Structure formats: C-alpha cells, structure tokens
C-alpha cells in the first residue's frame, strides 16, 4: 500500500492559494518548499522499503521534515494574514 505524500496544499487546504502564490513569487519559499517535498519523497521511499523506524538516519529525516513543515506553515499563515 503506497504511503500518502505530505503535500503542503493537501495538509493546509485553506492556504492552497497562498502556497501557490508564494511558490511563484517568493524564491526562498520555493527553495524551502522544494526541499520539504524532496525530504517527504525520500522518507516515503524509506517507509515503503520497510526500513525500521529506529534507524537514526530515518528519524533525522523525519525531524527535518517536521521542522521544515512548521517553518513553512508559519510563513504561509503569516503571509495569508498580511496578504
């Protein structure tokens, strides 16, 4: 069974327009968003391969994704308020 991706616009549908706008207008957001999606794809690949969840590299990747997701959410929600 495939693992569902953690796409920002699916996780935060109320900000879908803001996310698309930021990806087009804000180079730093685009870079960070692309990094987030690459991390997510890498993590899903490890999950689908059956790697154990106690693996330090796997755990580190998940922490990086969580941090980046929170960072992006803060940027999205702040942009939504001021934009």
């Amino acid at each position: 069974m495939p693992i569902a991706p953690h796409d920002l616009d699916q996780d935060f549908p109320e900000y879908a327009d803001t996310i698309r706008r930021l990806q087009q207008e804000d180079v730093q957001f685009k870079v960070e968003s692309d990094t987030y999606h690459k991390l997510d794809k890498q993590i899903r690949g490890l999950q689908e391969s059956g790697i154990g969840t106690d693996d330090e590299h796997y755990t580190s990747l998940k922490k990086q994704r969580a941090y980046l997701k929170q960072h992006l959410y803060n940027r999205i929600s702040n942009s939504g308020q001021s934009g």
Side-chain angles (χ1 to χ4, degrees):
M1 179 174 193
I3 307 295
H6 289 262
D7 291 337
L8 293 173
D9 57 349
Q10 290 179 1
D11 286 351
F12 309 117
E14 68 276 21
Y15 291 113
D17 292 337
T18 301
I19 292 167
R20 282 190 287 278
R21 180 179 54 79
L22 286 170
Q23 287 175 332
Q24 293 173 353
E25 298 174 0
D26 186 325
V27 174
Q28 186 62 34
F29 182 87
K30 173 78 170 133
V31 168
E32 292 170 346
S33 176
D34 288 348
T35 300
Y36 172 82
H37 289 290
K38 287 176 188 174
L39 270 172
D40 184 55
K41 185 176 180 179
Q42 186 176 8
I43 290 166
R44 284 184 292 118
L46 292 172
Q47 289 171 328
E48 290 171 355
S49 72
I51 190 167
T53 57
D54 60 342
D55 179 79
E56 287 183 38
H57 178 67
Y58 174 77
T59 302
S60 174
L61 291 174
K62 287 184 73 172
K63 286 179 181 179
Q64 289 175 45
R65 180 181 67 183
Y67 170 81
L68 196 49
K69 184 175 188 174
Q70 183 63 48
H71 173 73
L72 290 167
Y73 175 78
N74 289 339
R75 296 207 46 208
I76 292 163
S77 62
N78 289 336
S79 176
Q81 290 174 359
S82 64

